[in-house]
Amino acid sequence: STLTIETRQLIASGGKLIVTDVAGRMLLSKSLDSNSAKHQIDISSFSSGIYFVQLDGGKGISRGRFVKE
């Protein structure tokens, strides 16, 4: 399974994506490609449940969540 995250603008160099579970454990930390507004992460190893995504693009932090069924 793959999750695609699309941003409204390009991420600044050094941008980072972090995925945590509901207990706050970090499951994934990934540097982002600054030349793309779409970012894909492999979630095939994640169990079913709710997860939180944090995007640090250099100009602020955006947060969201997703559910893997």
Side-chain angles (χ1 to χ4, degrees):
S1 301
T2 302
L3 176 68
T4 301
I5 297 172
E6 188 169 352
T7 58
R8 292 190 182 114
Q9 56 191 1
L10 296 178
I11 299 295
S13 180
K16 195 177 209 179
L17 181 140
I18 297 170
V19 178
T20 57
D21 62 13
V22 291
R25 291 183 295 250
M26 184 170 35
L27 304 175
L28 177 77
S29 178
K30 178 180 176 180
S31 295
L32 298 176
D33 180 1
S34 60
N35 296 320
S36 178
K38 284 188 180 182
H39 310 281
Q40 293 190 334
I41 55 173
D42 180 9
I43 59 169
S44 59
S45 64
F46 293 10
S47 300
S48 297
I50 299 171
Y51 296 90
F52 298 96
V53 178
Q54 178 175 304
L55 253 161
D56 183 351
K59 293 184 178 180
I61 296 174
S62 298
R63 292 182 177 92
R65 72 180 179 115
F66 67 93
V67 176
K68 182 175 180 197
E69 296 181 346

